[in-house]
Amino acid sequence: WSAGISGVRADGQPYEIRAKMVVQDTRQPKVFEMERVDAKLGRSGTTTHLEALKGVYNSDNDQLTLSGIVRVRSEGSYDMTLKSAAVDMKASKVRSDDPAQVAVPGGLVESAGIEVSEPEARVTFFGPVRSSFEGSKEEDSATTTEATR
């Protein structure tokens, strides 16, 4: 990895963003364009990993915008695939208004959008939401479904 940025979230937990290539425009010194992004959000006992083909990090507001193939995973909890995601590094929240596919132990959840809040250990799916679990029939649910890990 060629470059990295690290910091501390509002709750005191660490975060780190690394990339194969980083470009910084001198006219916008707080904005970093990245390729092959690998980021980590730490939390007591667990780490959320984020990977994407492209990313833009704004150090003014600690916002990371990911695009291309985006993967967000927390070992043993979920593994999601997205087209894009907006990450608030300080608040440790990930949001995508694009379709999400989330593998969870024993099943799969697909939704029109998703928000993950690490400090609250909460995943919110935006509808329509479709889920299937081992040993159950596939069901369609209402507009918003919330799950706590």
Side-chain angles (χ1 to χ4, degrees), residues 29-85:
K30 300 209 177 205
V31 176
F32 303 85
E33 292 184 24
M34 305 175 169
E35 287 190 19
R36 305 252 338 257
V37 180
D38 181 22
K40 294 177 183 165
L41 298 171
R43 183 165 64 99
S44 187
T46 185
T47 300
T48 298
H49 297 270
L50 301 99
E51 299 168 3
L53 293 177
K54 296 186 181 275
V56 176
Y57 176 70
N58 185 328
S59 64
D60 260 346
N61 56 13
D62 282 315
Q63 299 291 312
L64 175 64
T65 304
L66 300 172
S67 60
I69 300 168
V70 179
R71 184 175 178 205
V72 182
R73 60 188 165 83
S74 180
E75 198 161 325
S77 295
Y78 59 82
D79 187 344
M80 68 180 74
T81 305
L82 311 165
K83 289 181 184 177
S84 68

